[in-house]
Amino acid sequence: DVPVMLREAPNGEVEMAVIVRRPEDFGVASRWLHSGLEPSRNAWLAAPISLSTDSSKRAEQVASVLTHFRVGKVLKVSSPDIDKREITSDEEKATGDKFLEIMRRAQYRTGLTDLAVVAERVAADSGLLSGLTAFLWTHESNSGGRKAIVSIRLKQRPGRDNHLELTWTAGRNYVEREAPRLDDEQMHDMTPVDWDMHSKREYMLEAFADVAEALSGKASGAANSLEVQRSEQRA
């Protein structure tokens, strides 16, 4: 089964979310839309939510997404995937790094850190951020009474994935009113949340709605953290 969720949107529109578990699921849902829904048969535009392949724009988009989650506040990130971007011959000569000439992709397994640290590595690798785990403090004032630290994985490889993928990774109970100074040891000591599948799916749908809003440009005041760090690295 390929779950499809719909909700009413402003101006008489309908927003639809397709929950994909395999790469081919998006195509299945698209064909179903075009063949089975009257009277709008063949009139649906199935547009995946995606990140830019331009390094500066992608940096802005990732920073905006992480800043504007309403389901929780991003405290830390970890384990970035970095794909090599196309670089000019002048850039290649400037680095003088033989390894970067042959690098295609790097999948880092790291502890918890800040976005600025990841940005420095992206710049050093002359790459594009293609994956990242974010750790969100989800508390009652912003998430319907939920109290937890939730980790979710964002992923989209440039030139390979046609949509941004958002995946539930883990949830840990945290009931304190103040945000924790989160580290690996503290995450390890927390107990897993007992949310059922419906609760997790509801959370992820809300999270993806936040992502869609951030990438649509409707979210204001996006922090340009990755590009700031990239500029500092060049300087």
Side-chain angles (χ1 to χ4, degrees):
D1 293 342
V2 180
V4 178
M5 316 290 287
L6 298 98
R7 70 178 183 184
E8 186 178 356
N11 302 319
E13 297 179 352
V14 175
E15 293 180 345
M16 174 179 293
V18 179
I19 303 174
V20 298
R21 298 187 179 91
R22 299 171 297 275
E24 60 270 20
D25 285 353
F26 184 83
V28 171
S30 182
R31 289 192 296 272
W32 172 75
L33 277 173
H34 291 301
S35 64
L37 292 184
E38 304 290 354
S40 300
R41 185 175 179 177
N42 295 323
W44 290 83
L45 176 62
I49 302 297
S50 60
L51 296 173
S52 174
T53 56
D54 176 82
S55 58
S56 295
K57 289 182 180 178
R58 180 172 285 224
E60 294 173 2
Q61 289 173 327
V62 171
S64 180
V65 167
L66 295 180
T67 304
H68 289 95
F69 274 119
R70 286 192 295 252
V71 292
K73 178 181 179 181
V74 175
L75 300 178
K76 295 289 182 179
V77 297
S78 74
S79 302
D81 292 346
I82 300 174
D83 279 63
K84 181 73 173 293
R85 64 179 173 86
E86 293 186 10
I87 60 175
T88 66
S89 57
D90 289 340
E91 284 181 300
E92 190 171 299
K93 290 177 182 177
T95 64
D97 191 328
K98 294 295 184 182
F99 182 80
L100 283 182
E101 294 179 14
I102 61 169
M103 175 188 157
R104 294 295 178 266
R105 186 187 189 200
Q107 295 175 280
Y108 293 103
R109 183 177 180 181
T110 74
L112 275 62
T113 187
D114 298 315
L115 181 60
V117 176
V118 172
E120 291 176 1
R121 175 46 52 184
V122 173
D125 286 351
S126 298
L128 286 169
L129 186 63
S130 56
L132 185 75
T133 300
F135 295 80
L136 288 79
W137 174 40
T138 297
H139 53 95
E140 57 187 343
S141 63
N142 71 350
S143 191
R146 307 182 188 104
K147 297 180 181 180
I149 302 296
V150 174
S151 60
I152 57 179
R153 184 79 182 171
L154 296 87
K155 173 183 172 292
Q156 185 184 5
R157 293 193 64 192
R160 289 181 176 268
D161 300 330
N162 66 357
H163 64 276
L164 176 64
E165 178 181 316
L166 202 63
T167 307
W168 172 278
T169 302
R172 296 289 185 267
N173 289 306
Y174 183 80
V175 299
E176 303 299 328
R177 290 185 175 274
E178 299 296 326
R181 292 187 175 181
L182 200 61
D183 57 31
D184 295 288
E185 183 177 354
Q186 189 175 19
M187 278 294 295
H188 181 269
D189 291 341
M190 292 178 183
T191 58
V193 297
D194 58 355
W195 300 1
D196 59 20
M197 187 58 67
H198 174 77
S199 298
K200 292 178 181 178
R201 179 177 293 178
E202 183 180 68
Y203 183 90
M204 294 304 295
L205 285 171
E206 291 178 26
F208 200 84
D210 293 343
V211 170
E213 182 174 304
L215 294 181
S216 72
K218 294 177 183 178
S220 60
N224 195 4
S225 303
L226 282 175
E227 188 58 26
V228 167
Q229 289 299 321
R230 192 188 303 278
S231 300
E232 290 177 353
Q233 185 76 11
R234 285 200 294 263

